[in-house]
Structures are given as C-alpha cells and as structure tokens.
Amino acid sequence: MTDQKTALVTGANKGIGYEIAAGLGALGYKVGVGARDDARRAAAVDKLRAGGADVFGVPLDVTDDASVTAAARLIQEQAGGLDALVNNAGITGGPEQAPTTIDPETMLAVVQTNVIGVMRVTNAMLPMLRRAASPRIVNVSSSVGSLTRQTTPGSFVGPIAVAYAPSKTFLNAVMVQYAKELAETNILINAACPGFVATDLNGFRGTGTAQQGAATPIRLATLPDGGPTGQFFEDAGTVPW
Ligand code: NAP
C-alpha cells in the first residue's frame, strides 16, 4: 500500500491542463495525463517525467464513450484507484459566435465537449472516486459563464460567444446538481475559473500564464476534508453565478 494519491487531468497535453498535471505532480500525486492525440500525449508525458513528475498517459477523448470507459479501466490498472478528477478539456467553437448566425452544429459540438463530456468522464470515474478517502472533482469552467457578470455592465466577459459562454453556464448548473446528489458523500465538487490566460484557446491573447491559470484548479483538487463543495471559484474568491 502507498499513500500516494492519483489524479486524472483531462486535456492535459497543453495549456492549463498541462500545468495542472505538472502542479499536481510536484505535490506528489501520480497523474494520469488525459489526452486524445497519441503523439501530443506522449510528448507531454515525456516532458512532465523529465520535470520529475510521476505521470502516465491516458488515451482520452471526452466525447467518446468507449474511450472514456477504457480510460477508467486503465487508471484502475495503473494506479489502483482515483482521488482527484480535473475536468479541464474544453473547446470554444471558434471566434464567430453571434447567436443569430451560429451553426447549430457548433452549438452541439461545444456542449458535447464542455458539458456532456464532463458528465461522461465524471460518471465513469465515480466508482473509483467513491472508494477514495478524500475524493475531489474540479470542473474547469469560466467566469464568462457567470450570468451575473454577463449582465453587469463593465464586467470583463470577452466577446459575444453564444456557444462557449453558455456552455460554461450549463456546466456550472450541472455541477450544482452533482453537488446536491453527492452532498452526503465525502466527494467535494467545485468549479474553477482559471482567469484569462494565454493558451491556444484564445490565440495566446490571455494576460496571465497557463501556470497561473492552474493555481485555482490545483487548490480545489487538493482541498482538505470539510472544504467547500458546489461552489465556483477564481483566484480572488468566489465567482457569482
Ligand atoms: P487549450 O490550450 O486549447 O487546451 C484545451 C485542451 O482540451 C487540449 O488539451 C485539447 O486537446 C483538450 N480537448 C479538447 N477537446 C477534447 C476532447 N474531445 N477530448 C479530450 N481532450 C480534448 O485551452 P486552455 O486555455 O488550456 O483550456 C483549458 C480549460 O480552461 C478549458 O475548459 C477552457 O474552457 C478553460 N478556460 C480557459 C481560459 C483561458 O483564458 N485560456 C479561461 C477560462 C476558462 P487537443 O490538443 O487534442 O485539442
């Protein structure tokens, strides 16, 4: 038996997910590097290992049932269980997202990845999480999903993005339902906004680094027992719904 905890980070081959994996590795976690592309996943695993982290690659497309089922089996085999799940993988649906002109297929694709994908991975990992001593689930959301901020003049919510922003509102609403169902368990589930950080997602226009963006997700993945659940955080504190 070992005291080492195991985490899975989805979309960990680059950006914020990569830095969450690196940060949890530095804290001593064994980290499953979830990524859908074989070459990108292998490169990330090599780089994380070179930095001293105990990581293993997890082939994972969050939109694919068979892929997610196989990922859960692999984690059970490689690590014997799971203590923390960070649902980080996400897409925007592209730069042009006016509600009056958007392609319905784009709406569906974004919801499939950012919402249904999170549910698919969470539900597949839950049997292992339920067996952990202090299980944690973190959904990497965005403050642009805050309806309060979207409707508060002067709040920074980026451009009109009818697929991306409401997908994060939807994700947060789904997370609240999970928190209610899991309230009598030891599982803490929370949403994290990483801030506006420079990654492929925004053409590297973000003002912070991916490493800075990883801080709140890592904090929520490593919350002590008795910590908050069903809440939405950014670096400065809670985000209004
Ligand atoms: P990123 O660099 O584009 O990384 C996104 C990651 O998600 C990539 O690893 C990508 O894999 C993966 N991914 C996408 N679809 C997937 C799928 N179907 N299955 C598995 N993995 C998939 O973006 P990022 O900025 O780090 O974003 C990470 C999270 O932070 C997202 O949920 C995003 O909404 C959120 N966020 C970002 C910002 C920001 O300012 N950057 C702000 C708020 C919230 P591939 O390499 O294979 O495409």
Side-chain angles (χ1 to χ4, degrees):
M1 278 297 278
T2 162
D3 287 342
Q4 188 182 27
K5 289 184 172 177
T6 299
L8 170 66
V9 183
T10 70
N13 54 290
K14 66 178 179 180
I16 298 163
Y18 176 87
E19 294 297 342
I20 295 169
L24 289 173
L27 291 173
Y29 281 68
K30 185 182 189 74
V31 183
V33 177
R36 56 185 168 175
D37 180 86
D38 290 343
R40 288 197 288 270
R41 183 177 60 256
V45 165
D46 286 350
K47 199 168 153 200
L48 288 161
R49 277 191 187 140
D54 180 4
V55 300
F56 60 104
V58 180
L60 180 58
D61 181 338
V62 303
T63 64
D64 184 287
D65 278 333
S67 167
V68 172
T69 301
R73 199 176 311 122
L74 180 77
I75 292 164
Q76 180 63 47
E77 285 166 10
Q78 293 270 322
L82 187 67
D83 298 280
L85 167 64
V86 182
N87 288 306
N88 165 79
I91 59 173
T92 64
E96 298 301 326
Q97 296 192 21
T100 54
T101 54
I102 194 161
D103 176 356
E105 292 306 317
T106 303
M107 289 294 298
L108 284 169
V110 173
V111 171
Q112 280 292 355
T113 299
N114 294 3
V115 184
I116 312 298
V118 170
M119 296 181 70
R120 179 180 290 107
V121 175
T122 299
N123 292 349
M125 303 302 157
L126 261 175
M128 286 188 288
L129 291 166
R130 287 183 190 278
R131 292 195 293 273
S134 301
R136 307 289 178 254
I137 302 171
V138 183
N139 292 345
V140 180
S141 183
S142 172
S143 61
V144 306
S146 163
L147 290 179
T148 303
R149 293 218 177 138
Q150 283 285 352
T151 53
T152 300
S155 279
F156 173 75
V157 287
I160 290 172
V162 73
Y164 182 67
S167 79
K168 296 299 190 180
T169 315
F170 190 176
L171 176 63
N172 291 345
V174 162
M175 190 271 298
V176 168
Q177 299 300 312
Y178 271 93
K180 288 167 78 169
E181 183 180 345
L182 298 173
E184 301 308 319
T185 74
N186 57 355
I187 299 174
L188 302 180
I189 177 168
N190 289 287
C193 175
F196 185 43
V197 303
T199 67
D200 268 342
L201 192 97
N202 51 37
F204 292 89
R205 283 190 303 276
T207 49
T209 64
Q211 192 175 18
Q212 289 168 334
T216 294
I218 291 170
R219 182 177 76 77
L220 296 176
T222 58
L223 280 173
D225 290 344
T229 192
Q231 296 188 37
F232 183 18
F233 294 95
E234 59 188 355
D235 287 355
T238 54
V239 185
W241 298 113

Short mmCIF file of all heavy atoms in Angstrom, two decimals, residues 178-225:
data_model
loop_
_atom_site.label_atom_id
_atom_site.label_comp_id
_atom_site.label_asym_id
_atom_site.label_seq_id
_atom_site.Cartn_x
_atom_site.Cartn_y
_atom_site.Cartn_z
N TYR A 178 -24.81 17.88 -9.39
CA TYR A 178 -23.90 16.84 -8.85
C TYR A 178 -23.66 17.09 -7.36
O TYR A 178 -23.67 16.15 -6.56
CB TYR A 178 -22.55 16.87 -9.57
CG TYR A 178 -22.46 16.00 -10.81
CD1 TYR A 178 -22.73 16.53 -12.06
CD2 TYR A 178 -22.08 14.67 -10.74
CE1 TYR A 178 -22.63 15.76 -13.21
CE2 TYR A 178 -21.98 13.88 -11.87
CZ TYR A 178 -22.26 14.42 -13.10
OH TYR A 178 -22.17 13.65 -14.23
N ALA A 179 -23.39 18.34 -7.00
CA ALA A 179 -23.09 18.63 -5.59
C ALA A 179 -24.26 18.24 -4.70
O ALA A 179 -24.07 17.73 -3.59
CB ALA A 179 -22.76 20.12 -5.44
N LYS A 180 -25.48 18.46 -5.20
CA LYS A 180 -26.66 18.08 -4.40
C LYS A 180 -26.76 16.56 -4.27
O LYS A 180 -26.98 16.03 -3.19
CB LYS A 180 -27.92 18.67 -5.04
CG LYS A 180 -28.00 20.18 -4.84
CD LYS A 180 -29.04 20.83 -5.72
CE LYS A 180 -30.44 20.66 -5.22
NZ LYS A 180 -31.39 21.51 -5.96
N GLU A 181 -26.56 15.86 -5.39
CA GLU A 181 -26.65 14.39 -5.32
C GLU A 181 -25.55 13.81 -4.44
O GLU A 181 -25.76 12.82 -3.74
CB GLU A 181 -26.57 13.78 -6.73
CG GLU A 181 -26.75 12.25 -6.67
CD GLU A 181 -26.67 11.56 -8.03
OE1 GLU A 181 -26.76 12.24 -9.06
OE2 GLU A 181 -26.54 10.33 -8.02
N LEU A 182 -24.37 14.43 -4.46
CA LEU A 182 -23.21 13.88 -3.74
C LEU A 182 -23.05 14.49 -2.35
O LEU A 182 -22.04 14.23 -1.67
CB LEU A 182 -21.93 14.10 -4.56
CG LEU A 182 -21.91 13.41 -5.94
CD1 LEU A 182 -20.68 13.82 -6.74
CD2 LEU A 182 -21.98 11.89 -5.80
N ALA A 183 -24.03 15.27 -1.91
CA ALA A 183 -23.89 16.01 -0.64
C ALA A 183 -23.62 15.11 0.55
O ALA A 183 -22.91 15.50 1.48
CB ALA A 183 -25.13 16.86 -0.39
N GLU A 184 -24.16 13.92 0.55
CA GLU A 184 -23.98 13.03 1.71
C GLU A 184 -22.74 12.15 1.57
O GLU A 184 -22.54 11.24 2.37
CB GLU A 184 -25.23 12.16 1.90
CG GLU A 184 -26.53 12.95 2.10
CD GLU A 184 -26.41 13.98 3.22
OE1 GLU A 184 -25.81 13.64 4.27
OE2 GLU A 184 -26.90 15.10 3.05
N THR A 185 -21.94 12.38 0.55
CA THR A 185 -20.69 11.61 0.39
C THR A 185 -19.51 12.48 0.83
O THR A 185 -19.68 13.65 1.17
CB THR A 185 -20.48 11.21 -1.10
OG1 THR A 185 -20.08 12.37 -1.83
CG2 THR A 185 -21.75 10.63 -1.70
N ASN A 186 -18.30 11.92 0.75
CA ASN A 186 -17.10 12.71 1.08
C ASN A 186 -16.50 13.37 -0.17
O ASN A 186 -15.40 13.91 -0.12
CB ASN A 186 -16.06 11.83 1.78
CG ASN A 186 -15.67 10.63 0.93
OD1 ASN A 186 -16.24 10.41 -0.15
ND2 ASN A 186 -14.71 9.86 1.39
N ILE A 187 -17.24 13.34 -1.27
CA ILE A 187 -16.74 13.94 -2.52
C ILE A 187 -17.00 15.45 -2.51
O ILE A 187 -18.14 15.88 -2.30
CB ILE A 187 -17.42 13.31 -3.75
CG1 ILE A 187 -17.11 11.80 -3.81
CG2 ILE A 187 -16.97 14.01 -5.04
CD1 ILE A 187 -17.86 11.05 -4.91
N LEU A 188 -15.95 16.22 -2.73
CA LEU A 188 -16.11 17.67 -2.90
C LEU A 188 -15.99 17.98 -4.39
O LEU A 188 -15.03 17.58 -5.04
CB LEU A 188 -15.02 18.43 -2.13
CG LEU A 188 -14.95 18.18 -0.62
CD1 LEU A 188 -13.82 19.01 0.00
CD2 LEU A 188 -16.28 18.47 0.06
N ILE A 189 -17.00 18.66 -4.93
CA ILE A 189 -17.01 19.00 -6.37
C ILE A 189 -17.19 20.51 -6.51
O ILE A 189 -18.13 21.09 -5.94
CB ILE A 189 -18.10 18.21 -7.14
CG1 ILE A 189 -18.15 18.64 -8.62
CG2 ILE A 189 -19.47 18.31 -6.49
CD1 ILE A 189 -18.98 17.72 -9.50
N ASN A 190 -16.27 21.13 -7.23
CA ASN A 190 -16.32 22.58 -7.39
C ASN A 190 -15.92 22.98 -8.81
O ASN A 190 -15.31 22.20 -9.54
CB ASN A 190 -15.35 23.24 -6.39
CG ASN A 190 -15.85 23.13 -4.96
OD1 ASN A 190 -16.79 23.82 -4.57
ND2 ASN A 190 -15.23 22.25 -4.17
N ALA A 191 -16.28 24.21 -9.16
CA ALA A 191 -15.92 24.77 -10.46
C ALA A 191 -14.84 25.82 -10.27
O ALA A 191 -14.83 26.54 -9.27
CB ALA A 191 -17.15 25.41 -11.11
N ALA A 192 -13.92 25.87 -11.26
CA ALA A 192 -12.81 26.82 -11.18
C ALA A 192 -12.75 27.65 -12.45
O ALA A 192 -12.85 27.11 -13.55
CB ALA A 192 -11.49 26.05 -11.05
N CYS A 193 -12.60 28.97 -12.28
CA CYS A 193 -12.23 29.81 -13.42
C CYS A 193 -10.73 30.07 -13.33
O CYS A 193 -10.26 30.59 -12.32
CB CYS A 193 -12.98 31.14 -13.44
SG CYS A 193 -12.38 32.19 -14.80
N PRO A 194 -9.98 29.73 -14.39
CA PRO A 194 -8.53 29.91 -14.33
C PRO A 194 -8.08 31.34 -14.56
O PRO A 194 -6.89 31.64 -14.44
CB PRO A 194 -8.03 29.00 -15.45
CG PRO A 194 -9.15 28.97 -16.44
CD PRO A 194 -10.42 29.08 -15.64
N GLY A 195 -9.01 32.23 -14.93
CA GLY A 195 -8.62 33.58 -15.34
C GLY A 195 -8.34 33.60 -16.83
O GLY A 195 -8.44 32.57 -17.51
N PHE A 196 -8.04 34.79 -17.34
CA PHE A 196 -7.80 34.96 -18.78
C PHE A 196 -6.31 34.73 -19.03
O PHE A 196 -5.48 35.61 -18.78
CB PHE A 196 -8.23 36.37 -19.20
CG PHE A 196 -8.15 36.62 -20.68
CD1 PHE A 196 -8.58 35.68 -21.61
CD2 PHE A 196 -7.67 37.84 -21.14
CE1 PHE A 196 -8.51 35.93 -22.97
CE2 PHE A 196 -7.61 38.11 -22.50
CZ PHE A 196 -8.03 37.15 -23.41
N VAL A 197 -5.97 33.51 -19.45
CA VAL A 197 -4.56 33.15 -19.56
C VAL A 197 -4.22 32.76 -21.00
O VAL A 197 -5.07 32.29 -21.76
CB VAL A 197 -4.17 32.03 -18.56
CG1 VAL A 197 -4.49 32.45 -17.14
CG2 VAL A 197 -4.84 30.71 -18.89
N ALA A 198 -2.97 32.96 -21.36
CA ALA A 198 -2.52 32.80 -22.75
C ALA A 198 -2.36 31.32 -23.10
O ALA A 198 -1.46 30.64 -22.61
CB ALA A 198 -1.19 33.53 -22.94
N THR A 199 -3.28 30.84 -23.95
CA THR A 199 -3.22 29.45 -24.44
C THR A 199 -3.72 29.44 -25.89
O THR A 199 -4.24 30.44 -26.39
CB THR A 199 -4.12 28.51 -23.61
OG1 THR A 199 -5.48 28.89 -23.83
CG2 THR A 199 -3.79 28.55 -22.12
N ASP A 200 -3.64 28.26 -26.50
CA ASP A 200 -4.19 28.08 -27.85
C ASP A 200 -5.65 28.49 -27.92
O ASP A 200 -6.12 28.96 -28.97
CB ASP A 200 -4.10 26.60 -28.26
CG ASP A 200 -2.81 26.29 -28.99
OD1 ASP A 200 -2.16 27.24 -29.46
OD2 ASP A 200 -2.47 25.09 -29.08
N LEU A 201 -6.38 28.27 -26.83
CA LEU A 201 -7.82 28.52 -26.80
C LEU A 201 -8.18 29.94 -27.22
O LEU A 201 -9.22 30.17 -27.84
CB LEU A 201 -8.34 28.25 -25.38
CG LEU A 201 -9.83 28.17 -25.19
CD1 LEU A 201 -10.27 26.70 -25.20
CD2 LEU A 201 -10.25 28.78 -23.86
N ASN A 202 -7.33 30.91 -26.85
CA ASN A 202 -7.63 32.31 -27.16
C ASN A 202 -6.54 32.93 -28.04
O ASN A 202 -6.34 34.16 -28.00
CB ASN A 202 -7.83 33.12 -25.86
CG ASN A 202 -6.69 32.92 -24.89
OD1 ASN A 202 -5.53 32.81 -25.29
ND2 ASN A 202 -7.00 32.86 -23.60
N GLY A 203 -5.83 32.09 -28.81
CA GLY A 203 -4.77 32.62 -29.66
C GLY A 203 -3.68 33.30 -28.85
O GLY A 203 -3.03 34.21 -29.33
N PHE A 204 -3.49 32.83 -27.62
CA PHE A 204 -2.46 33.35 -26.71
C PHE A 204 -2.64 34.84 -26.43
O PHE A 204 -1.69 35.56 -26.20
CB PHE A 204 -1.04 33.02 -27.24
CG PHE A 204 -0.77 31.53 -27.18
CD1 PHE A 204 -1.11 30.71 -28.24
CD2 PHE A 204 -0.25 30.95 -26.03
CE1 PHE A 204 -0.91 29.34 -28.18
CE2 PHE A 204 -0.05 29.57 -25.96
CZ PHE A 204 -0.39 28.76 -27.03
N ARG A 205 -3.91 35.28 -26.43
CA ARG A 205 -4.19 36.68 -26.09
C ARG A 205 -4.39 36.89 -24.59
O ARG A 205 -4.49 38.02 -24.12
CB ARG A 205 -5.44 37.16 -26.84
CG ARG A 205 -5.20 37.47 -28.31
CD ARG A 205 -6.40 38.17 -28.93
NE ARG A 205 -7.61 37.38 -28.78
CZ ARG A 205 -7.97 36.38 -29.61
NH1 ARG A 205 -7.21 36.08 -30.65
NH2 ARG A 205 -9.07 35.71 -29.41
N GLY A 206 -4.49 35.80 -23.84
CA GLY A 206 -4.69 35.93 -22.39
C GLY A 206 -3.58 36.71 -21.73
O GLY A 206 -2.45 36.76 -22.24
N THR A 207 -3.90 37.30 -20.59
CA THR A 207 -2.93 38.17 -19.93
C THR A 207 -2.09 37.46 -18.87
O THR A 207 -1.05 37.96 -18.47
CB THR A 207 -3.65 39.37 -19.28
OG1 THR A 207 -4.75 38.86 -18.51
CG2 THR A 207 -4.19 40.32 -20.34
N GLY A 208 -2.55 36.30 -18.42
CA GLY A 208 -1.78 35.52 -17.45
C GLY A 208 -1.13 34.32 -18.12
O GLY A 208 -1.33 34.09 -19.32
N THR A 209 -0.37 33.56 -17.35
CA THR A 209 0.25 32.35 -17.88
C THR A 209 -0.63 31.14 -17.57
O THR A 209 -1.45 31.16 -16.64
CB THR A 209 1.62 32.10 -17.23
OG1 THR A 209 1.43 31.86 -15.83
CG2 THR A 209 2.54 33.31 -17.42
N ALA A 210 -0.43 30.07 -18.34
CA ALA A 210 -1.16 28.83 -18.08
C ALA A 210 -0.85 28.32 -16.67
O ALA A 210 -1.73 27.76 -16.00
CB ALA A 210 -0.80 27.79 -19.13
N GLN A 211 0.36 28.53 -16.23
CA GLN A 211 0.73 28.10 -14.87
C GLN A 211 -0.09 28.86 -13.83
O GLN A 211 -0.58 28.27 -12.86
CB GLN A 211 2.23 28.33 -14.65
CG GLN A 211 2.74 27.65 -13.40
CD GLN A 211 4.26 27.78 -13.25
OE1 GLN A 211 4.88 28.64 -13.89
NE2 GLN A 211 4.84 26.93 -12.44
N GLN A 212 -0.28 30.16 -14.05
CA GLN A 212 -1.14 30.93 -13.13
C GLN A 212 -2.57 30.41 -13.19
O GLN A 212 -3.25 30.31 -12.18
CB GLN A 212 -1.08 32.42 -13.49
CG GLN A 212 0.25 33.07 -13.14
CD GLN A 212 0.43 34.46 -13.74
OE1 GLN A 212 -0.15 34.80 -14.78
NE2 GLN A 212 1.26 35.26 -13.10
N GLY A 213 -3.01 30.06 -14.39
CA GLY A 213 -4.37 29.54 -14.55
C GLY A 213 -4.59 28.22 -13.84
O GLY A 213 -5.73 27.87 -13.50
N ALA A 214 -3.53 27.48 -13.62
CA ALA A 214 -3.64 26.17 -12.98
C ALA A 214 -3.83 26.27 -11.47
O ALA A 214 -4.23 25.30 -10.82
CB ALA A 214 -2.39 25.34 -13.28
N ALA A 215 -3.55 27.44 -10.89
CA ALA A 215 -3.50 27.54 -9.42
C ALA A 215 -4.83 27.22 -8.75
O ALA A 215 -4.88 26.42 -7.80
CB ALA A 215 -3.02 28.95 -9.02
N THR A 216 -5.93 27.82 -9.21
CA THR A 216 -7.22 27.56 -8.56
C THR A 216 -7.69 26.12 -8.78
O THR A 216 -8.12 25.46 -7.82
CB THR A 216 -8.27 28.59 -9.02
OG1 THR A 216 -7.87 29.88 -8.52
CG2 THR A 216 -9.66 28.28 -8.47
N PRO A 217 -7.60 25.57 -9.99
CA PRO A 217 -7.94 24.15 -10.14
C PRO A 217 -7.12 23.24 -9.22
O PRO A 217 -7.67 22.29 -8.64
CB PRO A 217 -7.64 23.87 -11.62
CG PRO A 217 -7.83 25.19 -12.30
CD PRO A 217 -7.36 26.21 -11.31
N ILE A 218 -5.83 23.52 -9.07
CA ILE A 218 -5.00 22.68 -8.19
C ILE A 218 -5.45 22.84 -6.74
O ILE A 218 -5.56 21.85 -5.99
CB ILE A 218 -3.50 23.06 -8.34
CG1 ILE A 218 -2.99 22.63 -9.72
CG2 ILE A 218 -2.66 22.42 -7.23
CD1 ILE A 218 -1.61 23.16 -10.08
N ARG A 219 -5.75 24.05 -6.35
CA ARG A 219 -6.22 24.26 -4.96
C ARG A 219 -7.50 23.46 -4.70
O ARG A 219 -7.65 22.82 -3.66
CB ARG A 219 -6.48 25.76 -4.71
CG ARG A 219 -6.91 26.07 -3.28
CD ARG A 219 -7.08 27.56 -3.05
NE ARG A 219 -8.30 28.12 -3.62
CZ ARG A 219 -9.51 28.00 -3.10
NH1 ARG A 219 -9.69 27.31 -1.99
NH2 ARG A 219 -10.56 28.57 -3.69
N LEU A 220 -8.41 23.47 -5.66
CA LEU A 220 -9.69 22.77 -5.46
C LEU A 220 -9.51 21.25 -5.55
O LEU A 220 -10.27 20.50 -4.92
CB LEU A 220 -10.71 23.25 -6.49
CG LEU A 220 -11.10 24.73 -6.38
CD1 LEU A 220 -12.03 25.11 -7.51
CD2 LEU A 220 -11.74 25.04 -5.03
N ALA A 221 -8.52 20.79 -6.29
CA ALA A 221 -8.26 19.34 -6.40
C ALA A 221 -7.62 18.79 -5.14
O ALA A 221 -7.61 17.58 -4.92
CB ALA A 221 -7.37 19.06 -7.60
N THR A 222 -7.08 19.70 -4.32
CA THR A 222 -6.35 19.27 -3.12
C THR A 222 -6.97 19.85 -1.85
O THR A 222 -6.30 19.98 -0.83
CB THR A 222 -4.86 19.71 -3.22
OG1 THR A 222 -4.81 21.15 -3.37
CG2 THR A 222 -4.18 19.08 -4.41
N LEU A 223 -8.25 20.20 -1.92
CA LEU A 223 -8.94 20.77 -0.75
C LEU A 223 -8.87 19.81 0.43
O LEU A 223 -9.02 18.60 0.27
CB LEU A 223 -10.42 21.00 -1.07
CG LEU A 223 -10.81 22.23 -1.87
CD1 LEU A 223 -12.31 22.15 -2.21
CD2 LEU A 223 -10.48 23.52 -1.13
N PRO A 224 -8.72 20.35 1.63
CA PRO A 224 -8.78 19.48 2.81
C PRO A 224 -10.21 19.00 3.05
O PRO A 224 -11.17 19.61 2.54
CB PRO A 224 -8.33 20.41 3.95
CG PRO A 224 -8.61 21.79 3.47
CD PRO A 224 -8.47 21.76 1.97
N ASP A 225 -10.35 17.92 3.81
CA ASP A 225 -11.68 17.44 4.17
C ASP A 225 -12.46 18.57 4.83
O ASP A 225 -11.89 19.39 5.56
CB ASP A 225 -11.58 16.26 5.15
CG ASP A 225 -11.03 15.02 4.46
OD1 ASP A 225 -11.02 14.98 3.22
OD2 ASP A 225 -10.61 14.10 5.18
#
